[in-house]
Amino acid sequence: MCIRDSSGMGALGIEIAKNVCLAGVKAVTIHDTKQATPADLNGNFYLQPEDVGTNRAEACVARLQALNPQERLECRTDELSALGGVTVLVATDMSSSELVRLNQLSRDNAIRFVSADVRGVFGRCFVDFGDDFVTHDPNGLPPLQCMLSDISTANPCVITTVDEGVDPKTGKTLYKRHGLSGGDHIRLTGVTGMFAEESGSSPLVEQDLVVTYIDPYTFSVDFDTTQLSPYNRGASFTEVKQPVPIGFKSLEENLKDPTFMMCMSPDEDKQWSSSFTQNAMHLGFNALDQFQQQHGRLPGPWSAEDGRGVVKIAKQLNNLGVPLNSSLDARAIELLSFTGSGVLVPLAGVLGGYVAQEALKAVMGKYTPLQQFLYVSCDEVVPVDLTQEQLVFDAAEFKPYNGTTDAQVVCLGKTTCEKLAELNLFMVGAGAIGCELIKNLAMLRCCTRGKLLVTDPDNIEKSNLNRQFLFKSKDIGSFKSECAVAAVREMFPAIKAEALTDLVAPSTEDKFHTDFWNRQDCFLNALDNLKARAYVDQRCVAAHKPLIDSGTTGTKGHTQVVVPFLTETWGDQKDPEVDLGIPECTVKFWPSVIAHTISWAKQQFELRFCSAPSDMNKLVNGDFRENVSVSKDS
């Protein structure tokens, strides 16, 4: 696999490279032709002041190699014209004309292509895996399984899941959700009954059946069972994953006729990825690119004249058929022009993780890739009222001053940057999420006049190294919090950070007392167990302090911002009652101590000797037979 881009080791490029190296692919090539500048220190966490003036890729290669010493990591600084031996090409921060050229070169050589950019408070990602890409597992989840209570003798055959008892409030029978969607394939096992006259076995068994969704508890399959004997008991289904072919259009086609991934809120008719439409941001990025080609530079930070120029280009592009829907869309393009010369590091971190995952999808043939453009923004952090018809702002507030924070001053303004420097923060947990959080806080230049406290009583294990990038092999056995703080001080020596090794719990309230909670400005949860998260949430509620909570399980994750008197608390949402205490990914993929194997064995025992027999008991001992008799009589 090759990560390549003409200016690849900026804030976004280094995030992608870091994530891919941690994933353990066979080989990575990083490419960059640019020299490091003071502004790069505000985004590339591996660059040091002494690296200014040197090639960015050469300055980072040794630090990236330390993430995975077994990986073959190469560095190139020449003008790349051939792509021999490359599986995936990832390009960042490039002109559209260069991206189109590389995309076509990738297509000609059967190379999967991903591109991404972060411009100010806006970001985009594009994926093209060619015309013949096949994903063999669209969602990466274990195959669905469920016991069944009824299989009808009908055409088509209707199947009902096992009942789980009676709702004490309504008296209605509760059934287990099957989780299937229309078009899914399943295979039945354990069927007794449903015999054909000439056969002693059921023709339903051991063949792929295509599902038609009816409701969460019933579905039908395209199979005529009218000539079969009645169903007796014992059946269950297992999902059969099917290869899914996915075709992609080239970048050149997509620039004119884009295919977007629409990120819609489930309960509101709006996108969660941005306040603006995907079309508006697509036009804005294209207009920004044309402005740069015409003037040989990006628009000046918060330059009203340059902003009008970019909007004018966007309107000209709009005549080519891409609709510009409202004045809000025009303000999106103007804001992109104002902040486009800057970079917001947390946005680069989020998009860097997303892009690296898309690159891995191309290698694994697993999960469903992006189709094909995704545009995101975090415009809400800009201290300007975007609801006004005309943006009102003080350009001096966002003016760079040739310092190492110029990239974020353009996006956030000097006043907000000053507030970040004065923050007093308390972060609980220094694992995978904690490493990313503390890195982002350092890159945002937080806590240079305030203080960052990080606590975690856990020690570093070998299995942590593939996802907690601040730790190295020499750190195994040391406290996570101490190593994380030491690593982030190397990135940004001016940060005032202190490592603690205490558990945050009722037993440590003599140290984390009420006065301690009152002194902090904000709390950040990076925990992997529900009990500790609930306790921190309760203390924040009592102290009227904001909390940022986050967590992951395998490939899934969430974050929640809790603001006193404005949002619900973390405890208002009921989380699953089961809390393994050990991350699921460690148990399944990187078990390194006996506790991990015990946890795995407990899960298997629960699945085989508790859940399945329990479902069978409900089926046999419940009211199923009586219900079947009543159904037949009716």
Side-chain angles (χ1 to χ4, degrees), residues 84-137:
V86 175
T87 306
V88 184
L89 175 65
V90 182
T92 69
D93 193 21
M94 303 176 68
S95 68
S96 293
S97 59
E98 180 66 3
L99 288 173
V100 167
R101 183 187 73 83
L102 287 175
N103 176 241
Q104 190 57 52
L105 186 62
S106 299
R107 281 181 150 258
D108 293 342
N109 291 275
I111 295 170
R112 312 307 186 189
F113 179 84
V114 184
S115 69
D117 296 286
V118 171
R119 297 292 187 187
V121 294
F122 295 84
R124 70 171 172 180
C125 175
F126 172 78
V127 169
D128 175 14
F129 289 169
D131 300 321
D132 56 352
F133 183 76
V134 176
T135 178
H136 298 279
D137 187 352

Side-chain angles (χ1 to χ4, degrees), residues 118-184:
V118 171
R119 297 292 187 187
V121 294
F122 295 84
R124 70 171 172 180
C125 175
F126 172 78
V127 169
D128 175 14
F129 289 169
D131 300 321
D132 56 352
F133 183 76
V134 176
T135 178
H136 298 279
D137 187 352
N139 59 22
L141 299 174
L144 295 169
Q145 294 180 317
C146 185
M147 301 285 290
L148 304 176
S149 64
D150 187 33
I151 303 175
S152 71
T153 50
N155 185 20
C157 170
V158 177
I159 298 175
T160 305
T161 59
V162 65
D163 70 81
E164 297 186 314
V166 177
D167 188 334
K169 295 182 179 180
T170 64
K172 294 182 178 179
T173 302
L174 299 175
Y175 292 92
K176 189 171 183 178
R177 291 176 176 268
H178 53 68
L180 297 169
S181 301
D184 286 348

Side-chain angles (χ1 to χ4, degrees), residues 103-273:
N103 176 241
Q104 190 57 52
L105 186 62
S106 299
R107 281 181 150 258
D108 293 342
N109 291 275
I111 295 170
R112 312 307 186 189
F113 179 84
V114 184
S115 69
D117 296 286
V118 171
R119 297 292 187 187
V121 294
F122 295 84
R124 70 171 172 180
C125 175
F126 172 78
V127 169
D128 175 14
F129 289 169
D131 300 321
D132 56 352
F133 183 76
V134 176
T135 178
H136 298 279
D137 187 352
N139 59 22
L141 299 174
L144 295 169
Q145 294 180 317
C146 185
M147 301 285 290
L148 304 176
S149 64
D150 187 33
I151 303 175
S152 71
T153 50
N155 185 20
C157 170
V158 177
I159 298 175
T160 305
T161 59
V162 65
D163 70 81
E164 297 186 314
V166 177
D167 188 334
K169 295 182 179 180
T170 64
K172 294 182 178 179
T173 302
L174 299 175
Y175 292 92
K176 189 171 183 178
R177 291 176 176 268
H178 53 68
L180 297 169
S181 301
D184 286 348
H185 289 238
I186 63 167
R187 186 167 292 176
L188 301 181
T189 56
V191 179
T192 57
M194 309 301 291
F195 299 137
E197 292 183 1
E198 67 278 4
S199 171
S201 61
S202 173
L204 280 172
V205 176
E206 298 300 329
Q207 66 170 297
D208 286 358
L209 302 170
V210 181
V211 169
T212 299
Y213 180 90
I214 297 177
D215 62 38
Y217 318 103
T218 59
F219 58 91
S220 66
V221 295
D222 189 15
F223 195 94
D224 185 356
T225 58
T226 56
Q227 304 302 314
L228 303 183
S229 63
Y231 171 68
N232 190 357
R233 64 180 184 274
S236 63
F237 77 76
T238 300
E239 181 187 15
V240 180
K241 298 290 185 76
Q242 299 294 308
V244 178
I246 303 175
F248 293 83
K249 298 189 299 184
S250 69
L251 177 59
E252 186 172 19
E253 293 176 277
N254 263 283
L255 289 174
K256 298 174 183 177
D257 181 21
T259 301
F260 299 124
M261 185 184 85
M262 305 304 292
C263 307
M264 307 304 293
S265 169
D267 53 357
E268 296 183 61
D269 186 21
K270 66 178 185 179
Q271 301 174 97
W272 58 256
S273 61

Side-chain angles (χ1 to χ4, degrees), residues 37-50:
T37 66
D40 288 321
L41 302 181
N42 197 189
N44 185 321
F45 44 83
Y46 281 144
L47 291 178
Q48 298 295 316
E50 59 268 23

Side-chain angles (χ1 to χ4, degrees), residues 600 602-614:
W600 179 85
K602 287 173 64 179
Q603 291 181 39
Q604 296 300 310
F605 185 90
E606 172 72 23
L607 178 65
R608 300 182 185 187
F609 299 107
C610 297
S611 298
S614 176

Side-chain angles (χ1 to χ4, degrees), residues 35-66:
Q35 308 300 307
T37 66
D40 288 321
L41 302 181
N42 197 189
N44 185 321
F45 44 83
Y46 281 144
L47 291 178
Q48 298 295 316
E50 59 268 23
D51 296 321
V52 173
T54 64
N55 181 274
R56 295 188 301 185
E58 291 179 337
C60 296
V61 65
R63 297 170 182 122
L64 286 170
Q65 183 70 76

Side-chain angles (χ1 to χ4, degrees), residues 336-404:
L336 177 57
S337 171
F338 291 161
T339 64
S341 60
V343 175
L344 196 61
V345 171
L347 180 58
V350 170
L351 199 58
Y354 188 92
V355 172
Q357 184 167 292
E358 292 302 307
L360 295 176
K361 289 176 186 179
V363 176
M364 297 184 298
K366 188 176 181 180
Y367 305 107
T368 301
L370 168 65
Q371 294 178 277
Q372 289 189 255
F373 267 117
L374 171 66
Y375 287 89
V376 296
S377 77
C378 51
D379 48 275
E380 65 275 7
V381 305
V382 181
V384 171
D385 187 357
L386 298 176
T387 63
Q388 301 295 321
E389 287 295 325
Q390 295 291 329
L391 296 182
V392 179
F393 57 89
D394 178 9
E397 172 71 10
F398 302 93
K399 184 178 180 180
Y401 53 91
N402 296 322
T404 59

